Amino acid sequence: MKKIVLQVVTCLGVLSCFGSVNAAESRTPLVPLPSIDDFTDGDGWGVGLGLGVEYESAYEGSDEFEPEIDPAGGVQWRTGEHIFFWAGEAIGWRTLAKDAWLFQTSLGYEEGREEGDSEDGRLDGLGESSSGVTLLLEVRHALTEDWRYFLDGRVLTGEIGTLGIFGAGTCLGCQPNGTGWEVGAVVTFHDGKLANRDFGVNTQQSIDSGLPETDVDSGYRSTGFNVNYRNYLNESWQVFGEALYEVYGSDVSDSPISRNDYEAEIGVGFIYVF
């Protein structure tokens, strides 16, 4: 896994050397951070379409890894300091206040885990975990005028339970057009409903799977580190990359569902901006 991460990061570094941002310098995104995409060029519509390839854990706590191809990009409409967007299974709104506060809210759909997600049969007898609509609320606060350093807080809640994410990040070599490297660290917490959806084993599941009955308490879930990258290859094409490494707390890693005490993923992709 570490070798794959190094190869992808090296590849992105080479692309950043050859990519030309001259044609995109006039773009002024809502927030100059690689993790916040903005396909608009001032007020009006912005559309970006592409594909990304991820290599990631098969499910929460899995020791199996698999590649996955996902659509990338989205449709956006910007007016002043507001962007309304549709990306994948989420629709939302984000706005910038006083040049230092980014507020975002979106509605999305979280798919549940299926027994077939484990090719080794590690989930047999556990059935399918719940799926449902989720509401995301996020606030970022810039600690410097150029967003070089920032704080981040997010709450994801819905039928599946509630997840809280609190972190900080820095932008390395970032440009006003939203390209560069972004590095962050987060701490996550979950309520009992989400904790047992992902890592708990109820009585019936224990009988069907042979795993010990397990009830996971709410509270600390994990500590994570993430890297985001974005660059323009020319006026229309973007290359992006992301990597995540998340270390679980003892309550989660002790669950019989957790075959690893960490989760990891890495991805790279391209987007054509119209």
Side-chain angles (χ1 to χ4, degrees):
M1 185 66 188
K2 292 181 179 178
K3 184 178 180 181
I4 294 174
V5 172
L6 179 59
Q7 289 175 339
V8 173
V9 170
T10 301
C11 178
L12 291 175
V14 171
L15 286 172
S16 69
C17 292
F18 287 98
S20 172
V21 298
N22 292 334
E25 285 180 351
S26 61
R27 292 184 183 271
T28 304
L30 189 67
V31 178
L33 293 177
S35 60
I36 306 292
D37 53 25
D38 186 347
F39 307 127
T40 65
D41 191 5
D43 287 356
W45 290 97
V47 179
L49 296 177
L51 287 175
V53 180
E54 294 182 343
Y55 186 71
E56 60 184 355
S57 304
Y59 57 90
E60 301 277 0
S62 173
D63 59 356
E64 303 169 56
F65 291 86
E66 60 186 17
E68 183 174 337
I69 298 177
D70 294 314
V75 178
Q76 303 172 340
W77 183 71
R78 181 172 175 177
T79 173
E81 304 296 346
H82 305 272
I83 290 182
F84 300 87
F85 61 89
W86 170 40
E89 297 178 331
I91 56 172
W93 160 76
R94 64 175 65 109
T95 185
L96 184 65
K98 297 183 178 179
D99 296 325
W101 292 90
L102 175 70
F103 298 95
Q104 175 171 301
T105 182
S106 64
L107 281 175
Y109 185 79
E110 185 77 18
E111 296 182 356
R113 183 191 64 214
E114 299 179 357
E115 290 187 5
D117 288 344
S118 171
E119 295 184 357
D120 295 341
R122 302 273 175 84
L123 301 175
D124 291 353
L126 294 178
E128 182 177 345
S129 65
S130 59
S131 304
V133 175
T134 57
L135 171 67
L136 172 68
L137 302 173
E138 179 177 3
V139 178
R140 292 197 190 193
H141 176 57
L143 301 177
T144 57
E145 290 184 3
D146 58 359
W147 284 82
R148 177 70 182 274
Y149 302 99
F150 60 89
L151 301 177
D152 185 18
R154 282 167 278 172
V155 174
L156 182 72
T157 187
E159 302 170 71
I160 64 171
T162 300
L163 178 71
I165 306 173
F166 307 94
T170 181
C171 211
L172 305 175
C174 289
Q175 303 299 316
N177 62 2
T179 61
W181 294 87
E182 181 184 322
V183 180
V186 299
V187 177
T188 68
F189 301 86
H190 52 195
D191 67 356
K193 186 175 183 179
L194 182 62
N196 284 288
R197 169 191 181 263
D198 293 337
F199 302 104
V201 180
N202 61 34
T203 302
Q204 187 60 52
Q205 288 175 324
S206 178
I207 295 172
D208 294 340
S209 67
L211 297 177
E213 190 170 346
T214 303
D215 182 72
V216 184
D217 293 333
S218 61
Y220 174 69
R221 181 184 179 99
S222 66
T223 297
F225 305 92
N226 57 81
V227 178
N228 285 274
Y229 170 81
R230 190 178 302 274
N231 193 36
Y232 281 95
L233 298 178
N234 55 40
E235 183 178 1
S236 298
W237 283 100
Q238 285 186 5
V239 58
F240 69 90
E242 54 189 13
L244 168 70
Y245 186 79
E246 183 180 5
V247 182
Y248 293 131
S250 58
D251 284 352
V252 172
S253 59
D254 287 344
S255 164
I257 294 177
S258 297
R259 301 290 177 164
N260 264 336
D261 59 1
Y262 70 89
E263 179 183 357
E265 67 178 65
I266 187 166
V268 63
F270 297 88
I271 296 175
Y272 184 83
V273 181
F274 293 85

